Amino acid sequence: MSANQPTRQALLDDYARFVSPAQVARLRALGHDFIESRREGPDVYDQDGRQYLDCYSSAGIYNLGRRQPELLAELRQAMRETDQGNFPMISREKARLAAALAAFVPGALECTMFSVVRGEAFDFACKLARGYTRRPELIAPEGSWFGQTGFAVSLSTRADKRDFAPLVPETKIIPFGDAAAARAAIGPRTAAVFLEPRQTENHCRPASADYLRALRRLCTETGVLLVLDETQTGLGRTGKRFAFEHAGIEPDVLIIGEALGAGVFPIAATLFTPAINKFMNAHPLIHLSTFGGSDLGCRIGARALEIYAAVAPWENAAALGRSLQEKLQTIAARHSRLIESIAGDGLLYSLAFAGPAEAEAFCRRLAAHGVLAVPGKVATNTVVLRPNLTIGQAEADRLLQAVEKAAAGV
C-alpha cells in the first residue's frame, strides 16, 4: 500500500464511525475484517495482496466470477453509448433483454418486470399476485429467506423481523415440505404460494420434487399462483439453468436475482406468464422502478445471458459438484464431532455445526486458509459455500484443502 493511501485500520475506523461499528465487529468475528482490494475470477484479495477464494460471492451474485472480462468490456462500451435511460420509456436495451429472458427461461414465462435487487423483484411479485388474483393472502413455508424489503421480510423466517412490526398483513407461514399442510392453509383468500427450491440460508434444505409437484397441482386446482424465488439457485447453481427443472414443473412467476447482472451492474427480474400479464396491461404503469431495467443494466443483463448460454455453467456445476459433494462428505465423516452434516448440490453446499458460535469460528479458520464464506441467515449454525460457477478442479481443491484444515483446527 502506498504511503498516501489510508491504512486498513483507518478505513475500519471510518466505517465503524460513519456506518456501523457493529458490522465491523461482526466481520472481525468472522475473520473478514480486511479491505476488499483486487478482485479477479474466483478470487478476492485484501489490502496486503492476500488471496481468498470467494465462496460468499455476495450471496450468489458472482456466478460468472469477479470482474468477468467480457461483461466489463460491455459495460465500458455501454457507458460510451447510453445511460440509465428514462425508466418508463421503451429502449432497444429493455426490449432486447426482455426478449432474451423469454428465450432463456424454460416454459411460458415470457413477460418481464425489471428491478434493481432481489427484494424489489420479490415485492413486485407479491403485488402482482394480489392484483391478478384479487386476493390478499400470501403464503410461504417456514425456513425461507427472501430479502430485506417489506413483503420479503414478512414472508421470511428471521428472529428479528418483529423489530419491524407491524408487518405486511395477510401473510402466512406454513410447515415446509408438507403438502397436506399447504392444502389446509390455502383458501379462497389465498393469492400465491412463495418458496425457494433450495433454502440456501437454511442449510440448503431442498424442496423435494414430490413437494414441488404437489404444490404445482394444488395451485392450479385453486387458482393460486406458484411463485419461485431462484435468486440463489437460478442461472445454473444447482446443475440446471433453474432448480425447478429438477422437478419437471413450471412456476407462474419466477424471481431472478442479481446474478442476472453477474456483479457488474445491479439488475434483477420477475418473469410471469402472458395470462398474468393481462393485469399489467389493464393497469399500465401501476408498478415502476426508477433504476430497474436501466439501459446500462439491460446491456449487461443481455450480455450476461449470452455468456451463460455459451459457457453453460450449470454443466460445470453438475459435474464438479458431484466430486465436490463426495469429498466434502468424506471430510465431514473424518471430523464428525465438529461437522454434523453436509447438504446441497451443484455448486451450493452447507456445513452444519453444533451452534452459531461453532459456525462463526469455522468461518474464521476458513478465512485464515484463504476461503471467504459466511454463516446461513436462517440456520445460523451453518456455513454456506457458494463459489462462482466457472471454477475448475484447482479451485475445488483449494476449497477442500481449506475445509480440511479448518476442520482439523490447523
Side-chain angles (χ1 to χ4, degrees), residues 11-50:
L11 290 169
L12 291 175
D13 289 344
D14 281 351
Y15 194 95
R17 180 182 176 187
F18 300 115
V19 182
S20 171
Q23 178 68 2
V24 172
R26 173 63 175 161
L27 291 171
R28 184 172 293 116
L30 296 173
H32 298 168
D33 54 333
F34 59 85
I35 308 303
E36 274 197 308
S37 183
R38 186 161 67 93
R39 312 100 194 265
E40 185 175 352
D43 298 310
V44 61
Y45 297 78
D46 69 13
Q47 68 288 339
D48 298 319
R50 179 176 167 76

Side-chain angles (χ1 to χ4, degrees), residues 1 50 158 171 174 183 277 293 303 305 339 354 382 397:
M1 179 177 291
R50 179 176 167 76
R158 47 188 295 174
T171 53
I174 63 173
R183 180 173 291 277
N277 199 32
R303 186 70 184 102
L305 284 185
I339 304 174
T382 66
D397 288 343

Side-chain angles (χ1 to χ4, degrees), residues 62-320:
Y62 296 108
N63 281 6
L64 298 174
R66 306 298 296 264
R67 291 174 50 82
Q68 208 282 341
E70 294 169 83
L71 287 179
L72 291 181
E74 183 71 19
L75 179 61
R76 293 186 189 102
Q77 186 64 28
M79 290 172 66
R80 297 186 185 103
E81 298 175 355
T82 188
D83 56 17
Q84 300 288 351
N86 276 312
F87 63 92
M89 301 294 291
I90 298 168
S91 67
R92 289 174 301 174
E93 291 82 2
K94 294 181 181 74
R96 178 187 172 206
L97 179 55
L101 282 167
F104 184 89
V105 176
L109 297 162
E110 297 180 358
C111 306
T112 295
M113 176 63 70
F114 296 117
S115 300
V116 178
V117 295
R118 172 202 199 171
E120 184 185 0
F122 185 90
D123 277 18
F124 167 69
C126 294
K127 293 163 66 176
L128 179 65
R130 284 180 166 179
Y132 172 72
T133 64
R134 312 309 299 169
R135 304 173 187 177
E137 186 179 67
L138 308 172
I139 292 176
E142 56 84 19
S144 302
W145 182 277
F146 296 118
Q148 305 288 355
T149 50
F151 282 101
V153 168
S154 297
L155 286 167
S156 295
T157 298
R158 47 188 295 174
D160 60 356
K161 71 180 184 179
R162 294 296 164 189
D163 292 337
F164 300 117
L167 300 171
V168 174
E170 302 262 18
T171 53
K172 181 186 293 184
I173 307 298
I174 63 173
F176 177 87
D178 188 336
R183 180 173 291 277
I186 290 174
R189 295 175 60 80
T190 306
V193 175
F194 295 76
L195 77 156
E196 304 158 285
R198 307 284 189 277
Q199 291 185 337
T200 300
E201 305 293 347
N202 192 28
H203 196 30
C204 291
R205 182 167 63 169
S208 71
D210 286 344
Y211 181 51
L212 286 171
R213 291 171 192 147
L215 287 179
R216 176 67 279 174
R217 289 192 298 269
L218 180 57
C219 288
T220 301
E221 291 168 7
T222 56
V224 170
L225 300 185
L226 178 62
V227 183
L228 296 184
D229 183 346
E230 291 240 20
T231 295
Q232 296 211 58
T233 53
L235 299 169
R237 185 156 293 278
T238 69
K240 297 280 190 182
R241 288 192 185 204
F242 296 93
F244 68 77
E245 295 179 81
H246 292 287
I249 66 160
E250 294 177 11
D252 300 298
V253 181
L254 174 68
I255 296 163
I256 300 177
E258 298 91 340
L260 177 58
V264 171
F265 203 92
I267 186 167
T270 308
L271 276 74
F272 43 99
T273 65
I276 297 170
N277 199 32
K278 291 177 182 178
F279 169 75
M280 298 302 294
N281 290 332
H283 304 276
L285 305 184
I286 194 172
H287 176 89
L288 295 172
S289 173
T290 303
F291 292 108
S294 71
D295 289 352
L296 285 172
C298 286
R299 281 280 292 265
I300 296 304
R303 186 70 184 102
L305 284 185
E306 291 176 350
I307 297 169
Y308 278 116
V311 174
W314 43 89
E315 294 177 1
N316 184 57
L320 190 59

